[in-house]
Amino acid sequence: MRYFKLFRGNNSEGEMKDYRIEVEKGMVVLDAILRIQAEQENDLAVRWNCKAGKCGSCSVEINGKPKLSCMTRMNEYDNDETISIRPLKTFPVMRDLVTDVSWNFIQNKKIAPFKPDPSQKDKNGNYRMTQEDVDRIQEFRKCIECYLCQNVCHVLRDHDKRNKFIGPRFLICLASLEMHPLDTTDRIPDIKNDFGTGMCNITKCCTDVCPEHIQLTDNGIIPLKERVVDRYYDPLKWIWRKLVGEKILRLFPS
Amino acid sequence: MSKSSFAETFRTDRWWLEPLLVLIGLSAFIIYSTWSAWQGQYYWWSGGSEGFGGYLSPFYSPPLFIKEGIPGTPPIWHAWFGPWPDWLYDFKYLPASPAWLILIFPLSFRFTCYYYRKAYYRAFTGAPPACAVGAIPRNNYKGETGLLVIQNLHRYTMYFAIVIIFILTYDAMLSFFNDGRFGVGVGSIVLLINPILLGAYTFGCHSFRHLVGGSINCFSCSKSSRVRYKGWRFVSFLNGKHQMFAWLSLFWVGFSDVYVRLVSMGFITDLNTWGV
Ligand code: SF4
Ligand code: SF4
Ligand code: FES
Ligand code: FES
């Protein structure tokens, strides 16, 4: 017998309810939740889909830690430990363990899409990239949009700066576009002003919770911050641009 | 969404351990290094010889000016600009210590380092203390857009830090000599490891990574970008271990000072081939 506490309720009210169920070897937390749903609480709302850590729908907070419930094995916890499961804190609860993460979809739409330069096509009409250029941005494409990083980031979670900060998931999306060798759009002004790289204080919780082990902070956000420094804060670069002139510099992209 | 108060969490693990260790580690270093810089003496040992060679504490390197006649200070030829000038501080409570003149460089470098920022934002300012643990509530959280916008100048502190690595490498070389004679002592090894660890830390810097190759979008597009790609790969390797080297190098700089100080004060005897 294992002990569980599950949040039951909605955005305005709710409580933690106790459950006891039998678990078998090899079960993950999502299995336990689904067993509680099947055997004791048929109207329990829980979102899941692939049970393989690839769809990103089963994000919850297990004993206070943001995690994918389908990738969290029961044997991570002691036998006599009560496992408490709550919905993501940063987003409004729709019901029980299901949160409304649609704010994230709105953020995604704010990002200027990939725009390659057609003159870069080869003679067969294809865009080509070499492996080393693919490698760097490939890491960000592993994202499964579980929004655990958006949920844990204190800028959104504790300070509620949604109007000033797009969140780590979308900063790495921006990084993958900005670092793309074929892309031609300049997003640096938006990254600084609207998407708020300056709001991130690089405390790395997004990296800590990412189930895909994406190095969001080190490989995505900090490189973006450095690019923003190039444009807005580096005094020598600023003088250099004034001396040489923006137009001439644009002829020689790095 | 309900706002949480400081340290509010449902986490059941020992989330407070890491920020606590950081708090203790950094505080210990700050207290010791301040005390050491205050001393202005016993930062050099050469067994009494005035010739080429000796151990210099990294906290005091480079010594821009040296006040003569103080125990445990290098011979005057070692000072970059000569003897301690009259117009500089030299009081009972602020002795003529050349450490103060240069400490700002490593200090500002580590203060603005992306790793240390993470560490002290968590441990000292609770923003947040740990993941999914309530941050200290602030009415208008600004991140690094308010006063902390100064952190954006990290790359300039890095330029100086690179110069200092070369200086400390020279000091390491110096430590293999005593009165012009080549040899090895425990202190030589200590002072040799120092610039190696500092190099591993400094050349793994995020700003350095950006400078070397991170700023380019196409690694394969030109000869120079292919060379920079190779450099970027190497810096990225060190960058992945940046936290580890940040702590190792911090510890070792402090330890090097302790070692030189204790030998210079005569508390311990340096084992060496010179027999001094
Ligand atoms: S590193 Fe930045 S984006 Fe990631 S969780 Fe921390 S503050 Fe948020
Ligand atoms: S970056 Fe990682 S944590 Fe964030 S949404 Fe993508 S997979 Fe989830
Ligand atoms: S159910 Fe798809 S990631 Fe967990
Ligand atoms: S990021 Fe740590 S030294 Fe630059």
Side-chain angles (χ1 to χ4, degrees):
Chain A
M1 276 291 166
R2 298 284 290 257
Y3 295 87
F4 291 83
K5 275 181 188 295
L6 264 58
F7 178 83
R8 303 281 337 251
N10 53 39
N11 209 31
S12 39
E13 54 179 12
E15 54 170 350
M16 296 300 288
K17 278 186 74 177
D18 294 306
Y19 301 93
R20 275 173 69 183
I21 55 158
E22 211 59 70
V23 304
E24 277 107 54
K25 220 175 156 199
M27 271 170 80
V28 293
V29 171
L30 179 61
D31 292 320
I33 298 172
L34 293 177
R35 179 167 285 182
I36 292 170
Q37 186 193 48
E39 294 174 1
Q40 301 178 25
E41 205 77 83
N42 298 151
D43 63 347
L44 174 74
V46 50
R47 183 162 47 211
W48 65 284
N49 208 308
C50 67
K51 250 187 104 204
K54 284 291 166 247
C55 73
S57 22
C58 65
S59 304
V60 285
E61 302 196 358
I62 308 173
N63 282 359
K65 278 195 173 178
K67 278 168 160 278
L68 293 180
S69 59
C70 75
M71 297 305 282
T72 308
R73 302 181 75 91
M74 283 299 299
N75 63 10
E76 282 181 31
Y77 303 94
D78 292 334
N79 278 335
D80 55 354
E81 194 176 349
T82 303
I83 298 177
S84 61
I85 304 164
R86 291 176 171 79
L88 300 181
K89 176 169 186 286
T90 306
F91 301 108
V93 177
M94 295 174 90
R95 201 191 135 125
D96 302 341
L97 302 178
V98 178
T99 47
D100 174 7
V101 293
S102 55
W103 178 78
N104 295 293
F105 310 144
I106 301 166
Q107 304 317 301
N108 198 23
K109 292 207 182 98
K110 291 186 188 162
I111 298 176
F114 177 61
K115 194 165 139 233
D117 171 3
S119 71
Q120 298 276 318
K121 284 185 183 171
D122 69 5
K123 58 181 187 302
N124 300 322
N126 296 319
Y127 289 110
R128 297 237 165 252
M129 281 169 77
T130 53
Q131 191 59 44
E132 58 263 41
D133 290 320
V134 176
D135 285 343
R136 176 161 58 156
I137 49 184
Q138 193 64 25
E139 176 183 13
F140 307 128
R141 304 193 67 97
K142 291 192 302 187
C143 173
I144 58 170
E145 305 217 300
C146 63
Y147 301 130
L148 286 172
C149 55
Q150 301 283 92
N151 169 58
V152 81
C153 176
H154 71 122
V155 182
L156 302 170
R157 185 182 178 99
D158 296 331
H159 305 296
D160 198 12
K161 293 290 178 198
R162 282 158 212 253
N163 51 347
K164 294 213 166 87
F165 187 54
I166 198 167
R169 188 276 166 270
F170 299 104
L171 287 179
I172 61 160
C173 174
L174 284 156
S176 74
L177 289 163
E178 279 300 299
M179 293 171 185
H180 202 297
L182 292 169
D183 181 71
T184 55
T185 309
D186 174 17
R187 301 173 190 80
I188 294 293
D190 289 347
I191 288 173
K192 172 181 177 278
N193 299 321
D194 303 334
F195 302 148
T197 35
M199 296 303 277
C200 162
N201 69 351
I202 52 170
T203 33
K204 280 181 102 163
C205 288
C206 50
T207 307
D208 287 355
V209 300
C210 179
E212 286 292 312
H213 306 292
I214 300 169
Q215 295 295 315
L216 289 98
T217 322
D218 287 352
N219 290 348
I221 302 174
I222 292 174
L224 282 185
K225 278 184 171 252
E226 284 291 316
R227 285 169 187 231
V228 169
V229 176
D230 276 350
R231 184 80 59 90
Y232 291 98
Y233 299 112
D234 189 323
L236 286 185
K237 284 230 156 84
W238 183 81
I239 294 170
W240 173 248
R241 270 199 305 271
K242 290 285 162 222
L243 284 179
V244 184
E246 304 270 354
K247 279 200 187 122
I248 297 178
L249 282 176
R250 222 165 286 147
L251 296 176
F252 301 99
S254 58
Chain B
M1 189 194 89
S2 62
K3 288 213 172 168
S4 47
S5 48
F6 175 53
E8 185 183 324
T9 186
F10 293 113
R11 276 178 69 168
T12 50
D13 57 342
R14 280 182 292 173
W15 60 264
W16 40 266
L17 188 64
E18 194 182 311
L20 185 70
L21 290 177
V22 168
L23 190 84
I24 294 172
L26 288 183
S27 304
F29 184 82
I30 291 168
I31 292 169
Y32 176 75
S33 58
T34 309
W35 176 84
S36 169
W38 219 289
Q39 301 308 302
Q41 54 183 356
Y42 300 118
Y43 57 89
W44 167 267
W45 179 83
S46 59
S49 86
E50 295 279 309
F52 183 80
Y55 301 163
L56 176 64
S57 156
F59 285 168
Y60 283 81
S61 183
L64 300 184
F65 302 104
I66 293 173
K67 185 168 167 151
E68 288 171 283
I70 305 274
T73 54
I76 194 69
W77 61 262
H78 212 287
W80 281 26
F81 304 118
W84 195 262
D86 294 336
W87 47 265
L88 261 181
Y89 55 87
D90 184 6
F91 312 110
K92 187 161 175 239
Y93 293 108
L94 184 59
S97 161
W100 294 120
L101 302 174
I102 48 119
L103 223 55
I104 184 69
F105 296 108
L107 192 78
S108 59
F109 181 52
R110 294 208 185 232
F111 186 82
T112 57
C113 161
Y114 285 94
Y115 165 68
Y116 282 108
R117 271 143 79 181
K118 170 203 162 184
Y120 65 71
Y121 287 150
R122 282 193 186 195
F124 285 75
T125 68
C131 303
V133 175
I136 293 183
R138 287 168 173 82
N139 282 339
N140 191 13
Y141 169 85
K142 288 204 174 78
E144 299 190 324
T145 60
L147 260 186
L148 289 171
V149 71
I150 191 83
Q151 308 278 30
N152 286 309
L153 294 179
H154 176 56
R155 53 183 65 176
Y156 285 89
T157 68
M158 183 258 297
Y159 304 146
F160 287 106
I162 291 178
V163 174
I164 288 186
I165 298 221
F166 285 103
I167 296 172
L168 292 177
T169 307
Y170 171 79
D171 292 344
M173 206 188 76
L174 195 72
S175 73
F176 282 90
F177 290 88
N178 189 283
D179 216 6
R181 281 177 302 142
F182 178 79
V184 186
V186 174
S188 327
I189 311 287
V190 171
L191 292 176
L192 176 67
I193 294 173
N194 188 44
I196 294 175
L197 289 176
L198 281 173
Y201 168 63
T202 306
F203 294 120
C205 166
H206 283 279
S207 295
F208 190 65
R209 188 181 184 213
H210 175 75
L211 178 82
V212 167
S215 60
I216 47 182
N217 293 338
C218 185
F219 288 138
S220 59
C221 289
S222 69
K223 229 185 203 144
S224 76
S225 67
R226 276 191 291 272
V227 174
R228 288 177 70 182
Y229 172 65
K230 291 215 175 91
W232 178 82
R233 286 279 299 247
F234 179 67
V235 175
S236 299
F237 166 76
L238 288 178
N239 183 263
K241 306 194 174 332
H242 197 53
Q243 168 175 353
M244 182 183 88
F245 284 123
W247 283 105
L248 283 179
S249 62
L250 189 78
F251 172 79
W252 205 265
V253 166
F255 174 70
S256 306
D257 179 84
V258 172
Y259 186 82
V260 173
R261 186 167 293 284
L262 291 180
V263 171
S264 177
M265 292 172 85
F267 271 128
I268 52 175
T269 312
D270 180 63
L271 281 180
N272 60 49
T273 58
W274 304 289
V276 285

